[in-house]
Amino acid sequence: MLASCMLHGGTLPSLPSPPLFFLRTRTLSLPFSCRGTLLSESAERPRWNRFYLHSLSARRTLLRVAESSEVTENVEEESSSAPLKHSIKIPVGDRHILVETGHIGRQASASVTVTDGETIVYTSVCLADVPSEPCDFFPLSVFYQERLSAAGRTSGGFFKREGRAKDHEVLICRLIDRPLRPTMPKGFYHETQILSWVYSYDGIHSPDCLAVTAAGIAVALSEVPNTKIVAGVRMGLIGDKFVVNPTTNEMESSELDLMLAGTDSAILMIEGFCNFLTEEKLLKAVEIGHVAVRDICREVETLVKMCGKPKMVEAIKLPPDELYRHVEDISGYELVNALQISSKIPRRKALSVLEEKVISILTEKGYVAKDQVSGTTDVVNDKCDNEDEDEDEEVVSDGEVDEGDVHIKPARKPIPLLFSEVDVKLVFKEVTSKFLRKRIVEGGRRSDGRIPSEIRSINAQCGVLPRAHGSALFTRGETQSLAVVTLGDKQMAQRIDNLVDTEEAKRFYLQYLFPPSCVGEVGRIGAPNRREIGHGMLAERALEPILPSEEDFPYTVRVESTITESNGSSSMASVCGGCLALLDAGVPVKCSVAGIAMGLVLDTEEFGGDGTPLILSDISGSEDASGDMDLKVAGNENGITAFQMDIKTAGITLPVMEKALVQAKDGRSHVLYEMLKCSPPPSKKLSKYAPLIHVMKVKPEKIHLIIGSGGKKVKSIIEETGVEGIETQDDGIVKITARDLSSLEKSKAIIANLTMVPTVGDIFRDCEIKSIAPYGVFVEIAPGREGLCHISELSSEWLAKAEDAFKVGDRLDLKLIEVNEKGQLRLSRRALLPDATPESTVSKNQTSLGEEENDSVNTASKVAFVRVESIEQKSVQSVNTRESKILSKKSVFTRKATSVPAKAEEMIRRLVRPVRESSVANKEKQSKSDVKAVRVSSREPNLVDDEAKIG
């Protein structure tokens, strides 16, 4: 019956009680879909569903039990019941967040949804059934993704789905990972995965701080044997008020962006940036934030007691305790000597050789403890089962039996102890860290001979790359950064597409590269990993406050920091090198900034100290790995611009952090002083290879003249002048980017003339004819700006065709006589001719009067009408109407010669006006003004160019 149900996909029958051998233990592997389900003999009867049948052994077991059990319907009824949901409201700042569990993702080890406003973050935790190989780090992986559907958007790509994690999401993954990892116990090797998605976003409440809290709550509810509950908040500073989890609108005016995570008793992680905030204000923000974290953790404890799962404490496997003592006995003096080598590579090779020696002895040859060297000591071998078989055997010494019949046992050789290679490696690393910390605390000297507050030697050079816009090589001890600055226009800006950020592009960004060669190793080169993205963002945030505004420096700035040597604090070296490279590129920064990394040794009593935490300045790589803290602080003598802190222990308190920040301030001042000694110093001027950017301001309504139809005009300007790009904004700002000054000046002139506001009466000299039409010529009065000179305005004499007297390329002096509502220009050459005045015409007619002149005027007038009719086809009807009216009045053409020329001229001008006029009345009015302008011009033959008015 059971087999039939399974084959047909039916519901499995209920069993009287769950079989004991099916209960989840560390030795039974369940299918992936069943992970996170913990059963016990006293637990309620589980729901047997088809997911369990993925395991062959479980299927066979169920078949055997079903054959000998009675079928009930209880479980079927239970499976149809609604999921049990647990929820609590936690006060955070001036509002509450809602935490819910038990209704989504029930097959995971734990899953929660955290809601703030209408922003919802879902987080799940799952564990591998089988532990992985022991290693020196906790196998934790974190994935965070912002679904664009949460804000009612879709991806802009072809596939319309989210792709690989963006830099913003990678940074939040790091924010989730860093505070959780110190709370995980050593010896737990079940791979743990945290998945977090943003399912709803209201644009007001940021999801990143919710994701940190959601991950901490999910881990606390799961089977992961973490030691403390972790929560996170964001801190802002609006005016003089510190705000917990500020909204996105509040963050726009905040001077501080601080992400803080911790437990109810200590701080585990801080990261953020600010605008030269003092150490006192930063500590105050941390204090207020930790109070909020403490309140969240206490509320979560109630939820954990209500529905949390038992922790897998029995899965923790630690190396044998005696192995620590054996490794110390073997390495001992050699390990102390190796740690005293100041150079990184020789020290690493010496430690590697010593490690191989220890591994060989303890895993292959076996190790004999000091208390087993005595010949009278019997060493018991666990692998030998017949050790008592020869106990009564008579032993003959020198071929004779002792008279006292005394049985003498030989001195057995001690049996060497063997350990696993993984355990030996783990223990050797811990012992090395212990010896290093002991040397620092007891001797007061670090591995390279420095005292705790001493900074390594600093050397800086600028201008090391001649073709780069700016470059600097910054070296501090064995850490070295090659920083390069590239300047460009908006096209070089970094495009971003995040759920939270609404900014379209970043005009400043820093990219960090950490090749394997910088530590003398061989490795893969590919896309930037999470560490590189995180370190680059930290350095970028440290330098951003010193950059000038876009109005003062309209460039897009890119900084590349390539780590060529690394022995600690490469991100802070990127800050120092990046600042010098900006100065070398001529960027007018507000001030110089520097960065330094601080370390910490807690529990100094264990190593011979007085118990006071020991703060280390400018830590090296080994001190970072073996110490308890890595605190990076960037800024100048007056304040902090960026910071980041990671803790490797259960956390630190505010007094310890305060001491570290004060010591870091002294270290920054020293580094800034050494940066002033840079040789060669930064040039502080634009490189000759850097592009030139000119900013112009025109009237917003003139922008379309620069762009043209479909962008044709701006493209033609770029091709004609050779500039790299022209950027226009709706507010009238125009940015021209060019490689040389000549092309920049050409484009400036074209744009200035395109956007000029000419007025009637302006005179333009030596203008070139660009094209000829039957009704006139098009003349370029300025680069990129043309106007029409009608055939009637080309000459004082009658012209049948414009090409009869002019050709393309000829140059003319013209006067602007009209600007229509579309901005089109009407020009006149005849208005500047000396013989075009009525006075000259009248004096000429007074000397020679006769009927032949009257006939010629009559003929010219009629020909002009016919010409207008043949050329301007669009206005045939209006022209014919006006022609008939004028021809009917023959007295106009038969009047005396003294009045005919002026009247005929005026009438002809009214007839040959362009068809673009709005109305006949406007045409006649404009004609009168044109005649008046011509007359005034004729009285002043020696004219100069009028200056064009620029918008």
Side-chain angles (χ1 to χ4, degrees):
M1 179 186 67
L2 183 61
S4 176
C5 290
M6 290 187 296
L7 290 175
H8 294 84
T11 304
L12 293 177
S14 303
L15 301 178
S17 61
L20 181 60
F21 42 77
F22 191 73
L23 299 181
R24 176 165 182 170
T25 63
R26 298 309 111 213
T27 58
L28 176 63
S29 298
L30 296 182
F32 182 83
S33 58
C34 303
R35 297 176 184 175
T37 304
L38 181 65
L39 304 177
S40 62
E41 293 187 52
S42 61
E44 293 183 0
R45 187 173 302 161
R47 288 171 289 174
W48 308 107
N49 51 42
R50 284 174 292 174
F51 291 110
Y52 287 93
L53 301 181
H54 293 179
S55 172
L56 180 61
S57 60
R59 186 186 301 124
R60 292 175 179 174
T61 302
L62 288 174
L63 289 173
R64 290 198 302 270
V65 174
E67 291 175 356
S68 60
S69 305
E70 295 181 358
V71 179
T72 63
E73 302 297 332
N74 295 335
V75 175
E76 184 177 357
E77 295 177 0
E78 182 183 351
S79 63
S80 62
S81 61
L84 183 61
K85 180 169 66 174
H86 300 276
S87 63
I88 58 171
K89 283 190 175 181
I90 303 175
V92 179
D94 57 354
R95 58 185 184 273
H96 289 74
I97 62 173
L98 177 64
V99 179
E100 297 175 300
T101 184
H103 67 298
I104 299 179
R106 290 172 292 165
Q107 296 187 28
S109 179
S111 63
V112 297
T113 58
V114 180
T115 304
D116 187 6
E118 293 182 347
T119 299
I120 300 176
V121 177
Y122 168 76
T123 302
S124 64
V125 177
C126 287
L127 291 83
D129 294 329
V130 179
S132 57
E133 289 294 326
C135 54
D136 58 351
F137 66 95
F138 178 68
L140 172 67
S141 60
V142 179
F143 176 81
Y144 170 87
Q145 188 179 63
E146 295 175 343
R147 294 283 186 178
L148 295 180
S149 58
R153 295 163 48 197
T154 58
S155 176
F158 178 80
F159 295 101
K160 298 300 178 185
R161 67 182 300 168
E162 288 75 11
R164 69 179 185 88
K166 305 179 180 66
D167 289 358
H168 174 73
E169 295 169 332
V170 170
L171 295 174
I172 298 178
C173 288
R174 287 169 54 84
L175 292 177
I176 297 173
D177 181 285
R178 284 157 45 201
L180 286 175
R181 194 171 291 275
T183 65
M184 302 300 178
K186 295 180 179 180
F188 185 76
Y189 301 118
H190 288 260
E191 184 178 354
T192 304
Q193 186 180 52
I194 298 176
L195 305 179
S196 185
W197 288 278
V198 180
Y199 281 156
S200 178
Y201 177 60
D202 57 9
I204 301 174
H205 305 94
S206 299
D208 48 3
C209 51
L210 295 181
V212 177
T213 299
I217 297 174
V219 171
L221 294 173
S222 70
E223 301 162 296
V224 179
N226 64 313
T227 56
K228 288 283 187 177
I229 299 174
V230 176
V233 295
R234 167 180 267 112
M235 293 299 301
L237 178 60
I238 295 92
D240 294 331
K241 181 182 179 182
F242 292 98
V243 181
V244 180
N245 281 5
T247 63
T248 54
N249 293 332
E250 290 174 331
M251 284 302 299
E252 292 179 359
S253 58
S254 176
E255 297 182 10
L256 170 68
D257 187 352
L258 165 66
M259 285 291 297
L260 182 144
T263 64
D264 58 350
S265 59
I267 302 166
L268 294 172
M269 183 271 297
I270 62 170
E271 179 170 338
F273 56 98
C274 49
N275 189 14
F276 294 100
L277 207 65
T278 62
E279 284 77 6
E280 292 77 15
K281 288 188 176 181
L282 179 58
L283 286 170
K284 184 64 176 179
V286 172
E287 181 181 0
I288 297 175
H290 188 225
V291 172
V293 167
R294 187 185 301 119
D295 295 339
I296 296 175
C297 294
R298 290 174 180 173
E299 293 291 338
V300 173
E301 286 181 2
T302 305
L303 185 64
V304 172
K305 293 178 182 178
M306 184 189 310
C307 55
K309 294 182 178 179
K311 299 298 183 180
M312 295 171 56
V313 181
E314 70 279 3
I316 298 176
K317 296 180 180 180
L318 296 173
D321 293 337
E322 63 272 12
L323 183 57
Y324 291 86
R325 179 166 46 87
H326 299 333
V327 171
E328 291 182 11
D329 292 342
I330 298 174
S331 57
Y333 181 75
E334 295 182 58
L335 182 58
V336 173
N337 291 337
L339 292 175
Q340 292 179 0
I341 302 175
S342 59
S343 299
K344 177 181 178 179
I345 300 300
R347 181 173 64 252
R348 186 183 67 187
K349 291 181 178 180
L351 291 174
S352 179
V353 171
L354 181 58
E355 182 183 20
E356 291 297 327
K357 173 184 175 182
V358 173
I359 292 175
S360 175
I361 293 175
L362 293 175
T363 62
E364 299 176 5
K365 302 177 182 178
Y367 175 67
V368 178
K370 294 181 179 180
D371 55 358
Q372 296 175 341
V373 178
S374 175
T376 58
T377 303
D378 292 336
V379 179
V380 181
N381 189 353
D382 295 335
K383 298 180 181 180
C384 184
D385 297 328
N386 56 352
E387 57 181 343
D388 295 329
E389 292 182 0
D390 301 331
E391 183 176 353
D392 298 331
E393 182 179 355
E394 187 177 82
V395 180
V396 179
S397 179
D398 296 334
E400 298 180 0
V401 178
D402 194 283
E403 293 182 357
D405 201 17
V406 177
H407 299 280
I408 302 175
K409 291 185 178 181
R412 296 183 179 180
K413 294 182 179 180
I415 299 175
L417 301 174
L418 298 177
F419 300 91
S420 68
E421 182 177 348
V422 174
D423 287 343
V424 175
K425 287 184 176 181
L426 294 175
V427 172
F428 183 81
K429 182 178 180 180
E430 292 188 28
V431 171
T432 302
S433 176
K434 177 182 176 181
F435 274 52
L436 179 64
R437 294 155 66 95
K438 185 176 181 180
R439 168 179 166 80
I440 296 174
V441 175
E442 279 188 350
R445 292 285 178 177
R446 297 148 77 171
S447 58
D448 52 7
R450 290 181 291 152
I451 61 175
S453 61
E454 187 176 351
I455 310 295
R456 290 173 291 181
S457 60
I458 295 175
N459 178 266
Q461 305 173 46
C462 285
V464 293
L465 304 177
R467 296 288 298 192
H469 300 162
S471 60
L473 184 66
F474 179 83
T475 307
R476 177 165 53 195
E478 292 182 309
T479 300
Q480 189 178 75
S481 168
L482 177 62
V484 180
V485 170
T486 306
L487 304 177
D489 58 0
K490 192 175 181 180
Q491 300 298 324
M492 201 183 78
Q494 187 182 46
R495 306 288 177 178
I496 56 176
D497 184 21
N498 291 335
L499 180 65
V500 178
D501 297 324
T502 57
E503 186 183 5
E504 295 181 357
K506 292 171 60 176
R507 61 179 291 262
F508 169 69
Y509 52 97
L510 188 146
Q511 295 173 336
Y512 170 97
L513 180 63
F514 191 89
S517 61
C518 68
V519 290
E521 297 178 353
V522 176
R524 183 183 65 87
I525 294 292
N529 54 37
R530 294 188 174 188
R531 180 183 179 277
E532 289 176 314
I533 294 174
H535 281 46
M537 181 56 66
L538 177 62
E540 177 184 313
R541 288 172 172 174
L543 292 172
E544 191 169 10
I546 69 173
L547 291 179
S549 63
E550 188 173 2
E551 291 75 17
D552 297 334
F553 194 72
Y555 285 89
T556 295
V557 182
R558 178 197 184 198
V559 180
E560 299 171 84
S561 176
T562 303
I563 306 303
T564 51
E565 292 183 33
S566 178
N567 187 14
S569 188
S570 57
S571 62
M572 295 296 97
S574 300
V575 174
C576 301
C579 180
L580 292 173
L582 289 172
L583 291 170
D584 189 58
V587 179
V589 298
K590 300 175 183 177
C591 61
S592 296
V593 295
I596 190 171
M598 310 298 294
L600 174 67
V601 178
L602 290 172
D603 302 327
T604 55
E605 290 182 351
E606 181 183 354
F607 310 109
D610 58 358
T612 304
L614 182 62
I615 306 296
L616 306 177
S617 297
D618 187 24
I619 57 175
S620 61
S622 59
E623 292 167 346
D624 183 8
S626 302
D628 298 321
M629 179 186 73
D630 181 13
L631 172 62
K632 301 181 179 71
V633 187
N636 61 4
E637 302 93 336
N638 301 321
I640 298 172
T641 58
F643 50 87
Q644 184 184 93
M645 184 186 72
D646 295 326
I647 297 295
K648 301 177 178 63
T649 61
I652 64 171
T653 59
L654 278 174
V656 176
M657 185 181 297
E658 180 180 6
K659 183 179 178 181
L661 288 175
V662 172
Q663 191 167 323
K665 183 178 181 179
D666 298 335
R668 291 199 313 271
S669 300
H670 174 78
V671 176
L672 287 170
Y673 176 75
E674 293 295 327
M675 289 169 59
L676 294 176
K677 302 177 182 179
C678 178
S679 179
S683 63
K684 297 184 180 181
K685 63 180 181 180
L686 284 177
S687 169
K688 61 180 180 181
Y689 302 111
L692 302 174
I693 295 183
H694 178 74
V695 180
M696 301 176 62
K697 176 69 176 178
V698 301
K699 289 188 176 181
E701 59 269 18
K702 299 291 183 180
I703 289 294
H704 72 281
L705 298 176
I706 304 174
I707 299 175
S709 176
K712 292 181 179 179
K713 190 61 181 178
V714 70
K715 291 178 182 178
S716 66
I717 297 175
I718 293 174
E719 293 177 359
E720 179 182 352
T721 61
V723 298
E724 290 192 343
I726 299 176
E727 175 194 346
T728 59
Q729 300 178 8
D730 295 337
D731 58 354
I733 296 296
V734 181
K735 296 181 180 178
I736 308 171
T737 305
R739 284 290 176 184
D740 55 87
L741 188 60
S742 61
S743 60
L744 180 64
E745 293 296 336
K746 289 180 182 178
S747 61
K748 281 172 55 180
I750 293 176
I751 294 174
N753 291 308
L754 279 174
T755 57
M756 72 167 61
V757 182
T759 58
V760 175
D762 289 345
I763 298 175
F764 305 94
R765 301 287 185 184
D766 198 29
C767 302
E768 182 182 359
I769 297 178
K770 288 295 185 180
S771 61
I772 299 178
Y775 50 86
V777 296
F778 288 93
V779 185
E780 186 180 50
I781 61 174
R785 192 72 183 272
E786 296 181 0
L788 172 64
C789 183
H790 197 271
I791 192 172
S792 63
E793 299 292 340
L794 283 173
S795 175
S796 57
E797 299 178 356
W798 177 81
L799 292 175
K801 295 181 180 180
E803 55 265 28
D804 293 343
F806 302 98
K807 63 180 182 297
V808 175
D810 288 350
R811 295 187 173 274
L812 309 176
D813 293 338
L814 301 168
K815 182 176 183 178
L816 181 63
I817 59 176
E818 181 186 356
V819 181
N820 66 10
E821 64 276 5
K822 295 183 179 180
Q824 296 169 331
L825 309 180
R826 185 183 176 198
L827 305 169
S828 174
R829 175 177 176 270
R830 190 165 63 91
L832 298 181
L833 296 177
D835 58 347
T837 60
E839 291 80 357
S840 62
T841 305
V842 170
S843 62
K844 180 179 179 180
N845 290 335
Q846 288 177 349
T847 58
S848 57
L849 297 176
E851 292 295 329
E852 292 182 2
E853 285 187 347
N854 292 338
D855 293 339
S856 63
V857 171
N858 248 339
T859 305
S861 300
K862 295 178 181 179
V863 172
F865 294 144
V866 175
R867 176 171 166 274
V868 171
E869 182 179 4
S870 63
I871 294 176
E872 300 184 356
Q873 297 295 334
K874 295 183 180 180
S875 59
V876 172
Q877 185 175 357
S878 61
V879 171
N880 289 336
T881 302
R882 296 169 63 188
E883 179 184 1
S884 62
K885 291 181 180 180
I886 297 173
L887 290 176
S888 64
K889 300 179 180 180
K890 295 183 178 180
S891 59
V892 174
F893 302 102
T894 58
R895 296 173 66 180
K896 294 181 179 181
T898 55
S899 59
V900 167
K903 295 292 184 179
E905 176 185 315
E906 179 179 359
M907 201 166 296
I908 292 172
R909 288 171 60 81
R910 291 168 57 187
L911 291 173
V912 298
R913 295 186 62 79
V915 298
R916 296 186 296 270
E917 306 292 344
S918 60
S919 64
V920 174
N922 290 336
K923 294 175 183 178
E924 294 176 355
K925 182 178 180 180
Q926 185 66 34
S927 299
K928 295 178 181 180
S929 64
D930 290 347
V931 173
K932 183 178 180 180
V934 170
R935 289 173 179 172
V936 173
S937 299
S938 63
R939 296 192 188 100
E940 298 175 1
N942 297 325
L943 297 177
V944 295
D945 292 347
D946 290 343
E947 183 179 355
K949 298 180 181 179
I950 307 301

